[in-house]
Amino acid sequence: MAASTILEVPLKTPTHEQLHTQLKTWGYYAKQTDLYQHLLHKLGRDWDVVCLNGLANSKTALGDYLAAIALQKQHAEVAAQIPDPQSEAYAWGNIGLNHYYLGQYAEAIEHLTKSIATLETLQDYRGQQMFLGNLGLTYSAIGQYQQAIDCHEQALSLARKQMNRRAEGEMLGNLGSAYAGVGDFSKALDYQQQHLAIAREVGDRQAECNALGNLGRAYQSWVIRSRRSQCSSRV
């Protein structure tokens, strides 16, 4: 029990994360993985779901998506036994995300939709917002941009309800990319500029880079389409 008590201590950091999750924020992935491996099946099923989820997320970060799916399935099974429907829903959502990374979009949609439905019932707005964003990305990947826009708009509303500026910026960026997909570059640029402003506000340099990259791609696509339109009008 002493080990779990130490790992659950909230640290005096801007996000007040517990030690075991703060290790990831600090970039100590190997240390975090070692902890989870040593504690798995030693502190009870409540901690087993934490360890399995942590190990799975490490595999996702390394690009080993099949191993991540296998670990998340174990996570879902243990969560169902406890029972912990919220943790089980997170496992299904993460399984869907890994299927998305593998390009297995039908499986991704199935698992993400299942996760979102449960989290909506539980009024877990944070998880619902996160997996709605992932579902929107999946729809964009198969060219179903209107479905993607619907998902991102719902996720944006939830992010604003939670006053989560970082998530709000991410959803604005996702909306910008989806509108670029349907050729509405005016909206695409507007959303990406909003994303950029929030990224700078919260000091998220990676998000700032993403927003700038997406802005560049949107401008490029707009110019290419304009030139093609001009060429067609001259023929």
Side-chain angles (χ1 to χ4, degrees):
M1 293 301 292
S4 62
T5 301
I6 293 170
L7 290 174
E8 288 178 319
V9 170
L11 302 181
K12 292 182 179 180
T13 60
T15 53
H16 302 289
E17 292 180 272
Q18 294 178 347
L19 174 60
H20 69 101
T21 54
Q22 184 66 43
L23 288 172
K24 179 181 178 182
T25 302
W26 283 335
Y28 297 141
Y29 302 112
K31 291 289 186 184
Q32 187 188 43
T33 300
D34 286 344
L35 274 173
Y36 289 142
Q37 287 176 332
H38 282 99
L39 295 176
L40 185 61
H41 304 312
K42 294 178 181 176
L43 296 174
R45 287 185 295 185
D46 287 340
W47 265 97
D48 283 347
V49 296
V50 173
C51 294
L52 287 165
N53 182 56
L55 288 169
N57 288 339
S58 296
K59 293 296 184 182
T60 299
L62 293 170
D64 192 348
Y65 305 124
L66 290 175
I69 288 171
L71 286 163
Q72 290 291 5
K73 285 183 176 178
Q74 292 181 55
H75 171 193
E77 289 173 4
V78 176
Q81 292 166 6
I82 292 175
D84 185 343
Q86 183 182 42
S87 186
E88 185 180 1
Y90 272 77
W92 290 121
N94 285 324
I95 289 170
L97 179 60
N98 282 284
H99 278 298
Y100 164 75
Y101 288 138
L102 286 167
Q104 298 169 346
Y105 300 123
E107 292 87 346
I109 290 170
E110 176 188 351
H111 288 93
L112 287 166
T113 302
K114 179 178 180 179
S115 172
I116 292 163
T118 300
L119 293 171
E120 183 178 11
T121 300
L122 296 172
Q123 296 185 327
D124 181 343
Y125 302 123
R126 176 183 172 277
Q128 191 182 349
Q129 174 264 309
M130 179 173 63
F131 291 124
L132 273 167
N134 293 335
L135 182 59
L137 293 176
T138 307
Y139 279 125
S140 285
I142 57 176
Q144 295 184 15
Y145 295 111
Q146 188 54 58
Q147 289 92 327
I149 289 168
D150 291 344
C151 288
H152 293 316
E153 285 180 341
Q154 291 178 62
L156 177 61
S157 177
L158 288 168
R160 286 173 170 166
K161 185 173 185 177
Q162 302 168 81
M163 293 184 289
N164 185 337
R165 291 290 278 169
R166 192 182 300 270
E168 180 182 353
E170 185 181 350
M171 293 308 105
L172 287 165
N174 288 346
L175 272 169
S177 297
Y179 274 111
V182 297
D184 190 338
F185 297 110
S186 178
K187 283 188 177 179
L189 293 169
D190 178 49
Y191 281 120
Q192 294 298 354
Q193 286 165 347
Q194 291 182 63
H195 180 200
L196 178 61
I198 291 176
R200 287 173 171 167
E201 173 194 321
V202 301
D204 189 335
R205 298 302 296 275
Q206 183 60 56
E208 183 178 352
C209 289
N210 292 340
L212 286 167
N214 289 332
L215 271 169
R217 281 187 287 274
Y219 274 121
Q220 183 182 43
S221 298
W222 197 358
V223 169
I224 290 171
R225 191 180 71 169
S226 297
R227 286 177 178 174
R228 285 176 178 170
S229 177
Q230 289 171 3
C231 290
S232 297
S233 64
R234 291 172 187 166
V235 175

